[in-house]
Amino acid sequence: MIGSGIKRGTAELAILSVLEEGPLHGYEMARRIEEQTKGVLCFTLAALYPMLYRMEQRGWIRGAWETSSSGRRRRCYRITPVGKKKLSPLRREWAELFGALRRLTKVSNA
Amino acid sequence: MRDWEALVEEHLTALELEPAERAEVIAELAAHLAETCEELHRRGMTEEEAVRRTLSQVEDWQELCSRIQTARMKENIMTNRIKQFWLPSLLTLLLSMGLLVLVQFFGPNPWVISRKSAWSLIAPVAVVYLPWLFSLPIVGAMGAYLSNRAGGSRRAMLSSIVFPVFPYSVSFLIGLPLVVILNHQIVHDMMFLALFVGLLAWVVAPAAALLTGGLLTEFFLSRRLDSRRIAGG
């Protein structure tokens, strides 16, 4: 079973990575992550929003209400400079972890 | 068309946030559910099935409510700013003040920098507690360690290290000039000398001592981190 710390770490990395490409609202973000990971990472509403709010509290992302062309109001999230700064060590830590697991388990795609 | 906001509001009755903040959360979650349902419907599901699948995103509304509450309640969270800046800063300030009091009570006599005045009297312009100055690198090291451990940025760490000189800077840069302006009996050339020497003795020298310890600690911490990374491959 994957521990909550690891789950949270991957979620944070996934969210910051997609937001680095541009601002997104919650639903779009969940879809983008699911598409880009070919369905391996799926965020339900219950998993996504507490995570977004926590990251917003930490100052990694910032949400602001926007109205789409269809007139629907949605809260759009952007990565902040603090979040960008957090992203590179997170990437490095995860690369190290996956590298270590790959060596340990001899699984080529770990 | 389903009223998603009413549905979310009904499930999140226990959410205790400011009314405006609560309304924002409800609107945001409702918009997410509405878009999910519309998308599923567009993909060919019946409305009933789409609604069922949409609602399956939340298994336990009570748990979601409590997780949102925890994530958004500002006063219950020891924010990064507190951990990375305020806590190390206040601790370095307290420790430096405590050490100064100890040195004043139990330490050797201070080094008094004085100047002969126009009336041949010896007028002190600054009192320097050398043992205190020599102890400050340890205080700076503590500030750097605490800020670094909390994941503070370099700016937060440097601010925490030099924070103990902040009160002295304020008193020398604002307090002393104010006294000169308000009290005309003070000999002005003496005051400017006192201001300059005082700044050196109570701001520049302590800041340098604090930074010495703090930057050395930062250097060793970054080297330790690098060596861990190398060891980890």
Side-chain angles (χ1 to χ4, degrees), chain B residues 88-122:
Chain B
S89 298
L90 292 175
L91 282 174
T92 51
L93 178 67
L94 268 175
L95 186 62
S96 76
M97 293 289 188
L99 283 170
L100 180 62
V101 171
L102 278 177
V103 168
Q104 282 174 334
F105 275 100
F106 304 109
N109 288 335
W111 177 33
V112 181
I113 303 167
S114 55
R115 172 193 184 246
K116 269 193 179 179
S117 75
W119 298 280
S120 295
L121 292 169
I122 301 295

PDB file of all heavy atoms in Angstrom, chain B residues 88-122:
ATOM      1  N   PRO B  88      12.395  31.306  13.767  1.00  0.00           N
ATOM      2  CA  PRO B  88      13.850  31.444  13.902  1.00  0.00           C
ATOM      3  C   PRO B  88      14.260  32.862  14.290  1.00  0.00           C
ATOM      4  O   PRO B  88      15.155  33.047  15.113  1.00  0.00           O
ATOM      5  CB  PRO B  88      14.393  31.104  12.502  1.00  0.00           C
ATOM      6  CG  PRO B  88      13.310  30.389  11.813  1.00  0.00           C
ATOM      7  CD  PRO B  88      12.033  30.829  12.418  1.00  0.00           C
ATOM      8  N   SER B  89      13.569  33.857  13.726  1.00  0.00           N
ATOM      9  CA  SER B  89      13.932  35.253  14.020  1.00  0.00           C
ATOM     10  C   SER B  89      13.719  35.579  15.489  1.00  0.00           C
ATOM     11  O   SER B  89      14.589  36.169  16.138  1.00  0.00           O
ATOM     12  CB  SER B  89      13.077  36.208  13.192  1.00  0.00           C
ATOM     13  OG  SER B  89      13.304  35.989  11.839  1.00  0.00           O
ATOM     14  N   LEU B  90      12.549  35.201  16.010  1.00  0.00           N
ATOM     15  CA  LEU B  90      12.263  35.544  17.399  1.00  0.00           C
ATOM     16  C   LEU B  90      13.171  34.773  18.353  1.00  0.00           C
ATOM     17  O   LEU B  90      13.579  35.301  19.387  1.00  0.00           O
ATOM     18  CB  LEU B  90      10.774  35.297  17.713  1.00  0.00           C
ATOM     19  CG  LEU B  90       9.840  36.260  16.977  1.00  0.00           C
ATOM     20  CD1 LEU B  90       8.386  35.901  17.208  1.00  0.00           C
ATOM     21  CD2 LEU B  90      10.080  37.709  17.410  1.00  0.00           C
ATOM     22  N   LEU B  91      13.486  33.529  17.984  1.00  0.00           N
ATOM     23  CA  LEU B  91      14.391  32.760  18.845  1.00  0.00           C
ATOM     24  C   LEU B  91      15.805  33.349  18.844  1.00  0.00           C
ATOM     25  O   LEU B  91      16.442  33.427  19.891  1.00  0.00           O
ATOM     26  CB  LEU B  91      14.434  31.293  18.402  1.00  0.00           C
ATOM     27  CG  LEU B  91      13.224  30.464  18.842  1.00  0.00           C
ATOM     28  CD1 LEU B  91      13.269  29.075  18.237  1.00  0.00           C
ATOM     29  CD2 LEU B  91      13.166  30.358  20.368  1.00  0.00           C
ATOM     30  N   THR B  92      16.274  33.773  17.671  1.00  0.00           N
ATOM     31  CA  THR B  92      17.616  34.385  17.629  1.00  0.00           C
ATOM     32  C   THR B  92      17.615  35.706  18.416  1.00  0.00           C
ATOM     33  O   THR B  92      18.566  35.995  19.131  1.00  0.00           O
ATOM     34  CB  THR B  92      18.099  34.659  16.182  1.00  0.00           C
ATOM     35  OG1 THR B  92      17.093  35.368  15.489  1.00  0.00           O
ATOM     36  CG2 THR B  92      18.439  33.407  15.428  1.00  0.00           C
ATOM     37  N   LEU B  93      16.518  36.448  18.299  1.00  0.00           N
ATOM     38  CA  LEU B  93      16.428  37.716  19.039  1.00  0.00           C
ATOM     39  C   LEU B  93      16.457  37.458  20.546  1.00  0.00           C
ATOM     40  O   LEU B  93      17.212  38.088  21.287  1.00  0.00           O
ATOM     41  CB  LEU B  93      15.136  38.447  18.645  1.00  0.00           C
ATOM     42  CG  LEU B  93      14.864  39.766  19.368  1.00  0.00           C
ATOM     43  CD1 LEU B  93      15.890  40.808  18.977  1.00  0.00           C
ATOM     44  CD2 LEU B  93      13.465  40.283  19.053  1.00  0.00           C
ATOM     45  N   LEU B  94      15.628  36.482  20.981  1.00  0.00           N
ATOM     46  CA  LEU B  94      15.566  36.162  22.410  1.00  0.00           C
ATOM     47  C   LEU B  94      16.916  35.683  22.930  1.00  0.00           C
ATOM     48  O   LEU B  94      17.376  36.120  23.991  1.00  0.00           O
ATOM     49  CB  LEU B  94      14.531  35.053  22.636  1.00  0.00           C
ATOM     50  CG  LEU B  94      13.115  35.505  22.957  1.00  0.00           C
ATOM     51  CD1 LEU B  94      12.181  34.309  23.032  1.00  0.00           C
ATOM     52  CD2 LEU B  94      13.103  36.259  24.284  1.00  0.00           C
ATOM     53  N   LEU B  95      17.540  34.805  22.169  1.00  0.00           N
ATOM     54  CA  LEU B  95      18.825  34.254  22.609  1.00  0.00           C
ATOM     55  C   LEU B  95      19.891  35.344  22.672  1.00  0.00           C
ATOM     56  O   LEU B  95      20.661  35.415  23.637  1.00  0.00           O
ATOM     57  CB  LEU B  95      19.255  33.121  21.660  1.00  0.00           C
ATOM     58  CG  LEU B  95      20.501  32.343  22.073  1.00  0.00           C
ATOM     59  CD1 LEU B  95      20.297  31.645  23.409  1.00  0.00           C
ATOM     60  CD2 LEU B  95      20.863  31.293  21.023  1.00  0.00           C
ATOM     61  N   SER B  96      19.912  36.219  21.666  1.00  0.00           N
ATOM     62  CA  SER B  96      20.938  37.269  21.671  1.00  0.00           C
ATOM     63  C   SER B  96      20.712  38.244  22.827  1.00  0.00           C
ATOM     64  O   SER B  96      21.659  38.681  23.478  1.00  0.00           O
ATOM     65  CB  SER B  96      20.981  37.996  20.334  1.00  0.00           C
ATOM     66  OG  SER B  96      19.912  38.874  20.222  1.00  0.00           O
ATOM     67  N   MET B  97      19.436  38.551  23.100  1.00  0.00           N
ATOM     68  CA  MET B  97      19.125  39.448  24.230  1.00  0.00           C
ATOM     69  C   MET B  97      19.519  38.784  25.551  1.00  0.00           C
ATOM     70  O   MET B  97      20.088  39.415  26.440  1.00  0.00           O
ATOM     71  CB  MET B  97      17.617  39.758  24.259  1.00  0.00           C
ATOM     72  CG  MET B  97      17.149  40.586  23.092  1.00  0.00           C
ATOM     73  SD  MET B  97      17.754  42.267  23.235  1.00  0.00           S
ATOM     74  CE  MET B  97      16.889  43.057  21.921  1.00  0.00           C
ATOM     75  N   GLY B  98      19.188  37.502  25.661  1.00  0.00           N
ATOM     76  CA  GLY B  98      19.510  36.761  26.885  1.00  0.00           C
ATOM     77  C   GLY B  98      21.016  36.731  27.121  1.00  0.00           C
ATOM     78  O   GLY B  98      21.482  36.949  28.248  1.00  0.00           O
ATOM     79  N   LEU B  99      21.758  36.484  26.045  1.00  0.00           N
ATOM     80  CA  LEU B  99      23.216  36.434  26.166  1.00  0.00           C
ATOM     81  C   LEU B  99      23.776  37.799  26.563  1.00  0.00           C
ATOM     82  O   LEU B  99      24.702  37.892  27.366  1.00  0.00           O
ATOM     83  CB  LEU B  99      23.833  35.980  24.839  1.00  0.00           C
ATOM     84  CG  LEU B  99      23.734  34.476  24.543  1.00  0.00           C
ATOM     85  CD1 LEU B  99      24.142  34.186  23.100  1.00  0.00           C
ATOM     86  CD2 LEU B  99      24.609  33.678  25.502  1.00  0.00           C
ATOM     87  N   LEU B 100      23.179  38.853  26.006  1.00  0.00           N
ATOM     88  CA  LEU B 100      23.642  40.205  26.331  1.00  0.00           C
ATOM     89  C   LEU B 100      23.438  40.498  27.822  1.00  0.00           C
ATOM     90  O   LEU B 100      24.332  41.026  28.491  1.00  0.00           O
ATOM     91  CB  LEU B 100      22.904  41.232  25.464  1.00  0.00           C
ATOM     92  CG  LEU B 100      23.275  42.690  25.693  1.00  0.00           C
ATOM     93  CD1 LEU B 100      24.749  42.942  25.382  1.00  0.00           C
ATOM     94  CD2 LEU B 100      22.404  43.617  24.839  1.00  0.00           C
ATOM     95  N   VAL B 101      22.273  40.108  28.326  1.00  0.00           N
ATOM     96  CA  VAL B 101      21.985  40.338  29.749  1.00  0.00           C
ATOM     97  C   VAL B 101      22.977  39.552  30.605  1.00  0.00           C
ATOM     98  O   VAL B 101      23.527  40.078  31.591  1.00  0.00           O
ATOM     99  CB  VAL B 101      20.518  39.926  30.064  1.00  0.00           C
ATOM    100  CG1 VAL B 101      20.260  39.951  31.565  1.00  0.00           C
ATOM    101  CG2 VAL B 101      19.547  40.854  29.353  1.00  0.00           C
ATOM    102  N   LEU B 102      23.234  38.303  30.221  1.00  0.00           N
ATOM    103  CA  LEU B 102      24.182  37.471  30.967  1.00  0.00           C
ATOM    104  C   LEU B 102      25.572  38.099  30.984  1.00  0.00           C
ATOM    105  O   LEU B 102      26.233  38.163  32.031  1.00  0.00           O
ATOM    106  CB  LEU B 102      24.271  36.080  30.333  1.00  0.00           C
ATOM    107  CG  LEU B 102      23.191  35.075  30.719  1.00  0.00           C
ATOM    108  CD1 LEU B 102      23.385  33.778  29.956  1.00  0.00           C
ATOM    109  CD2 LEU B 102      23.222  34.806  32.233  1.00  0.00           C
ATOM    110  N   VAL B 103      26.001  38.571  29.817  1.00  0.00           N
ATOM    111  CA  VAL B 103      27.332  39.183  29.711  1.00  0.00           C
ATOM    112  C   VAL B 103      27.395  40.460  30.547  1.00  0.00           C
ATOM    113  O   VAL B 103      28.389  40.732  31.225  1.00  0.00           O
ATOM    114  CB  VAL B 103      27.679  39.458  28.227  1.00  0.00           C
ATOM    115  CG1 VAL B 103      28.903  40.346  28.103  1.00  0.00           C
ATOM    116  CG2 VAL B 103      27.915  38.150  27.477  1.00  0.00           C
ATOM    117  N   GLN B 104      26.289  41.230  30.526  1.00  0.00           N
ATOM    118  CA  GLN B 104      26.267  42.487  31.289  1.00  0.00           C
ATOM    119  C   GLN B 104      26.362  42.217  32.795  1.00  0.00           C
ATOM    120  O   GLN B 104      27.010  42.952  33.515  1.00  0.00           O
ATOM    121  CB  GLN B 104      24.995  43.265  30.980  1.00  0.00           C
ATOM    122  CG  GLN B 104      25.076  43.993  29.650  1.00  0.00           C
ATOM    123  CD  GLN B 104      23.768  44.652  29.254  1.00  0.00           C
ATOM    124  OE1 GLN B 104      22.691  44.218  29.667  1.00  0.00           O
ATOM    125  NE2 GLN B 104      23.858  45.666  28.430  1.00  0.00           N
ATOM    126  N   PHE B 105      25.693  41.128  33.245  1.00  0.00           N
ATOM    127  CA  PHE B 105      25.692  40.838  34.681  1.00  0.00           C
ATOM    128  C   PHE B 105      26.948  40.096  35.133  1.00  0.00           C
ATOM    129  O   PHE B 105      27.487  40.378  36.183  1.00  0.00           O
ATOM    130  CB  PHE B 105      24.441  40.026  35.048  1.00  0.00           C
ATOM    131  CG  PHE B 105      23.246  40.903  35.295  1.00  0.00           C
ATOM    132  CD1 PHE B 105      22.280  41.077  34.319  1.00  0.00           C
ATOM    133  CD2 PHE B 105      23.107  41.592  36.500  1.00  0.00           C
ATOM    134  CE1 PHE B 105      21.187  41.890  34.528  1.00  0.00           C
ATOM    135  CE2 PHE B 105      22.010  42.411  36.718  1.00  0.00           C
ATOM    136  CZ  PHE B 105      21.050  42.566  35.739  1.00  0.00           C
ATOM    137  N   PHE B 106      27.330  39.115  34.344  1.00  0.00           N
ATOM    138  CA  PHE B 106      28.404  38.226  34.810  1.00  0.00           C
ATOM    139  C   PHE B 106      29.711  38.350  34.026  1.00  0.00           C
ATOM    140  O   PHE B 106      30.714  37.769  34.418  1.00  0.00           O
ATOM    141  CB  PHE B 106      27.919  36.762  34.746  1.00  0.00           C
ATOM    142  CG  PHE B 106      26.663  36.525  35.527  1.00  0.00           C
ATOM    143  CD1 PHE B 106      25.458  36.280  34.874  1.00  0.00           C
ATOM    144  CD2 PHE B 106      26.676  36.564  36.919  1.00  0.00           C
ATOM    145  CE1 PHE B 106      24.293  36.073  35.582  1.00  0.00           C
ATOM    146  CE2 PHE B 106      25.507  36.356  37.633  1.00  0.00           C
ATOM    147  CZ  PHE B 106      24.305  36.118  36.967  1.00  0.00           C
ATOM    148  N   GLY B 107      29.688  39.040  32.926  1.00  0.00           N
ATOM    149  CA  GLY B 107      30.875  39.107  32.079  1.00  0.00           C
ATOM    150  C   GLY B 107      31.866  40.161  32.535  1.00  0.00           C
ATOM    151  O   GLY B 107      31.624  40.899  33.496  1.00  0.00           O
ATOM    152  N   PRO B 108      32.993  40.271  31.829  1.00  0.00           N
ATOM    153  CA  PRO B 108      33.979  41.298  32.165  1.00  0.00           C
ATOM    154  C   PRO B 108      33.466  42.690  31.812  1.00  0.00           C
ATOM    155  O   PRO B 108      32.435  42.826  31.141  1.00  0.00           O
ATOM    156  CB  PRO B 108      35.175  40.921  31.276  1.00  0.00           C
ATOM    157  CG  PRO B 108      34.591  40.135  30.153  1.00  0.00           C
ATOM    158  CD  PRO B 108      33.380  39.450  30.684  1.00  0.00           C
ATOM    159  N   ASN B 109      34.201  43.686  32.264  1.00  0.00           N
ATOM    160  CA  ASN B 109      33.770  45.063  31.974  1.00  0.00           C
ATOM    161  C   ASN B 109      33.752  45.315  30.464  1.00  0.00           C
ATOM    162  O   ASN B 109      34.600  44.789  29.740  1.00  0.00           O
ATOM    163  CB  ASN B 109      34.731  46.060  32.626  1.00  0.00           C
ATOM    164  CG  ASN B 109      34.544  46.083  34.117  1.00  0.00           C
ATOM    165  OD1 ASN B 109      33.465  45.757  34.611  1.00  0.00           O
ATOM    166  ND2 ASN B 109      35.597  46.423  34.832  1.00  0.00           N
ATOM    167  N   PRO B 110      32.781  46.086  30.011  1.00  0.00           N
ATOM    168  CA  PRO B 110      32.709  46.328  28.559  1.00  0.00           C
ATOM    169  C   PRO B 110      33.835  47.236  28.077  1.00  0.00           C
ATOM    170  O   PRO B 110      34.443  47.966  28.866  1.00  0.00           O
ATOM    171  CB  PRO B 110      31.351  47.008  28.396  1.00  0.00           C
ATOM    172  CG  PRO B 110      31.070  47.624  29.709  1.00  0.00           C
ATOM    173  CD  PRO B 110      31.711  46.756  30.744  1.00  0.00           C
ATOM    174  N   TRP B 111      34.030  47.191  26.815  1.00  0.00           N
ATOM    175  CA  TRP B 111      35.004  48.071  26.169  1.00  0.00           C
ATOM    176  C   TRP B 111      34.281  49.376  25.859  1.00  0.00           C
ATOM    177  O   TRP B 111      33.314  49.390  25.089  1.00  0.00           O
ATOM    178  CB  TRP B 111      35.515  47.392  24.892  1.00  0.00           C
ATOM    179  CG  TRP B 111      36.473  48.227  24.091  1.00  0.00           C
ATOM    180  CD1 TRP B 111      37.372  49.118  24.567  1.00  0.00           C
ATOM    181  CD2 TRP B 111      36.633  48.206  22.676  1.00  0.00           C
ATOM    182  NE1 TRP B 111      38.093  49.677  23.546  1.00  0.00           N
ATOM    183  CE2 TRP B 111      37.654  49.134  22.364  1.00  0.00           C
ATOM    184  CE3 TRP B 111      36.025  47.500  21.649  1.00  0.00           C
ATOM    185  CZ2 TRP B 111      38.065  49.372  21.050  1.00  0.00           C
ATOM    186  CZ3 TRP B 111      36.433  47.731  20.351  1.00  0.00           C
ATOM    187  CH2 TRP B 111      37.453  48.659  20.051  1.00  0.00           C
ATOM    188  N   VAL B 112      34.752  50.454  26.485  1.00  0.00           N
ATOM    189  CA  VAL B 112      34.063  51.737  26.324  1.00  0.00           C
ATOM    190  C   VAL B 112      34.830  52.589  25.321  1.00  0.00           C
ATOM    191  O   VAL B 112      35.998  52.903  25.530  1.00  0.00           O
ATOM    192  CB  VAL B 112      33.927  52.481  27.673  1.00  0.00           C
ATOM    193  CG1 VAL B 112      33.196  53.809  27.490  1.00  0.00           C
ATOM    194  CG2 VAL B 112      33.205  51.613  28.684  1.00  0.00           C
ATOM    195  N   ILE B 113      34.160  52.927  24.246  1.00  0.00           N
ATOM    196  CA  ILE B 113      34.785  53.800  23.246  1.00  0.00           C
ATOM    197  C   ILE B 113      34.394  55.228  23.621  1.00  0.00           C
ATOM    198  O   ILE B 113      33.205  55.554  23.690  1.00  0.00           O
ATOM    199  CB  ILE B 113      34.281  53.470  21.818  1.00  0.00           C
ATOM    200  CG1 ILE B 113      34.561  52.005  21.507  1.00  0.00           C
ATOM    201  CG2 ILE B 113      34.926  54.382  20.784  1.00  0.00           C
ATOM    202  CD1 ILE B 113      33.850  51.495  20.270  1.00  0.00           C
ATOM    203  N   SER B 114      35.395  56.066  23.933  1.00  0.00           N
ATOM    204  CA  SER B 114      35.066  57.410  24.417  1.00  0.00           C
ATOM    205  C   SER B 114      35.791  58.482  23.610  1.00  0.00           C
ATOM    206  O   SER B 114      36.671  58.195  22.799  1.00  0.00           O
ATOM    207  CB  SER B 114      35.428  57.520  25.896  1.00  0.00           C
ATOM    208  OG  SER B 114      36.785  57.165  26.057  1.00  0.00           O
ATOM    209  N   ARG B 115      35.398  59.687  23.878  1.00  0.00           N
ATOM    210  CA  ARG B 115      35.989  60.816  23.152  1.00  0.00           C
ATOM    211  C   ARG B 115      36.081  62.001  24.105  1.00  0.00           C
ATOM    212  O   ARG B 115      35.169  62.234  24.911  1.00  0.00           O
ATOM    213  CB  ARG B 115      35.072  61.164  21.981  1.00  0.00           C
ATOM    214  CG  ARG B 115      35.457  62.427  21.266  1.00  0.00           C
ATOM    215  CD  ARG B 115      34.322  62.831  20.349  1.00  0.00           C
ATOM    216  NE  ARG B 115      34.711  64.002  19.588  1.00  0.00           N
ATOM    217  CZ  ARG B 115      34.136  65.174  19.726  1.00  0.00           C
ATOM    218  NH1 ARG B 115      33.170  65.353  20.596  1.00  0.00           N
ATOM    219  NH2 ARG B 115      34.540  66.193  18.991  1.00  0.00           N
ATOM    220  N   LYS B 116      37.163  62.761  23.987  1.00  0.00           N
ATOM    221  CA  LYS B 116      37.291  63.960  24.836  1.00  0.00           C
ATOM    222  C   LYS B 116      36.369  65.046  24.288  1.00  0.00           C
ATOM    223  O   LYS B 116      36.392  65.334  23.096  1.00  0.00           O
ATOM    224  CB  LYS B 116      38.730  64.458  24.829  1.00  0.00           C
ATOM    225  CG  LYS B 116      39.567  63.863  25.937  1.00  0.00           C
ATOM    226  CD  LYS B 116      40.864  64.614  26.082  1.00  0.00           C
ATOM    227  CE  LYS B 116      41.664  64.014  27.217  1.00  0.00           C
ATOM    228  NZ  LYS B 116      42.937  64.682  27.381  1.00  0.00           N
ATOM    229  N   SER B 117      35.553  65.599  25.178  1.00  0.00           N
ATOM    230  CA  SER B 117      34.646  66.646  24.706  1.00  0.00           C
ATOM    231  C   SER B 117      35.348  68.006  24.769  1.00  0.00           C
ATOM    232  O   SER B 117      36.499  68.111  25.199  1.00  0.00           O
ATOM    233  CB  SER B 117      33.391  66.684  25.580  1.00  0.00           C
ATOM    234  OG  SER B 117      33.722  67.281  26.812  1.00  0.00           O
ATOM    235  N   ALA B 118      34.625  69.038  24.366  1.00  0.00           N
ATOM    236  CA  ALA B 118      35.189  70.389  24.329  1.00  0.00           C
ATOM    237  C   ALA B 118      35.604  70.866  25.708  1.00  0.00           C
ATOM    238  O   ALA B 118      36.443  71.742  25.846  1.00  0.00           O
ATOM    239  CB  ALA B 118      34.165  71.343  23.731  1.00  0.00           C
ATOM    240  N   TRP B 119      34.983  70.288  26.775  1.00  0.00           N
ATOM    241  CA  TRP B 119      35.303  70.715  28.143  1.00  0.00           C
ATOM    242  C   TRP B 119      36.269  69.736  28.829  1.00  0.00           C
ATOM    243  O   TRP B 119      36.312  69.626  30.019  1.00  0.00           O
ATOM    244  CB  TRP B 119      34.020  70.815  28.954  1.00  0.00           C
ATOM    245  CG  TRP B 119      33.104  71.837  28.376  1.00  0.00           C
ATOM    246  CD1 TRP B 119      33.173  73.184  28.547  1.00  0.00           C
ATOM    247  CD2 TRP B 119      32.002  71.581  27.520  1.00  0.00           C
ATOM    248  NE1 TRP B 119      32.181  73.817  27.845  1.00  0.00           N
ATOM    249  CE2 TRP B 119      31.438  72.852  27.198  1.00  0.00           C
ATOM    250  CE3 TRP B 119      31.420  70.456  26.958  1.00  0.00           C
ATOM    251  CZ2 TRP B 119      30.335  72.976  26.357  1.00  0.00           C
ATOM    252  CZ3 TRP B 119      30.331  70.586  26.147  1.00  0.00           C
ATOM    253  CH2 TRP B 119      29.795  71.835  25.844  1.00  0.00           C
ATOM    254  N   SER B 120      37.000  68.996  28.005  1.00  0.00           N
ATOM    255  CA  SER B 120      38.005  68.045  28.490  1.00  0.00           C
ATOM    256  C   SER B 120      37.422  66.927  29.360  1.00  0.00           C
ATOM    257  O   SER B 120      38.102  66.371  30.200  1.00  0.00           O
ATOM    258  CB  SER B 120      39.113  68.757  29.281  1.00  0.00           C
ATOM    259  OG  SER B 120      39.803  69.589  28.424  1.00  0.00           O
ATOM    260  N   LEU B 121      36.160  66.684  29.207  1.00  0.00           N
ATOM    261  CA  LEU B 121      35.557  65.557  29.925  1.00  0.00           C
ATOM    262  C   LEU B 121      35.556  64.340  29.007  1.00  0.00           C
ATOM    263  O   LEU B 121      35.463  64.473  27.794  1.00  0.00           O
ATOM    264  CB  LEU B 121      34.103  65.883  30.309  1.00  0.00           C
ATOM    265  CG  LEU B 121      33.917  66.969  31.365  1.00  0.00           C
ATOM    266  CD1 LEU B 121      32.462  67.375  31.435  1.00  0.00           C
ATOM    267  CD2 LEU B 121      34.395  66.463  32.725  1.00  0.00           C
ATOM    268  N   ILE B 122      35.669  63.178  29.609  1.00  0.00           N
ATOM    269  CA  ILE B 122      35.632  61.977  28.790  1.00  0.00           C
ATOM    270  C   ILE B 122      34.164  61.586  28.590  1.00  0.00           C
ATOM    271  O   ILE B 122      33.440  61.320  29.541  1.00  0.00           O
ATOM    272  CB  ILE B 122      36.389  60.816  29.477  1.00  0.00           C
ATOM    273  CG1 ILE B 122      37.840  61.194  29.737  1.00  0.00           C
ATOM    274  CG2 ILE B 122      36.302  59.535  28.647  1.00  0.00           C
ATOM    275  CD1 ILE B 122      38.696  61.420  28.509  1.00  0.00           C
TER     276      ILE B 122
END
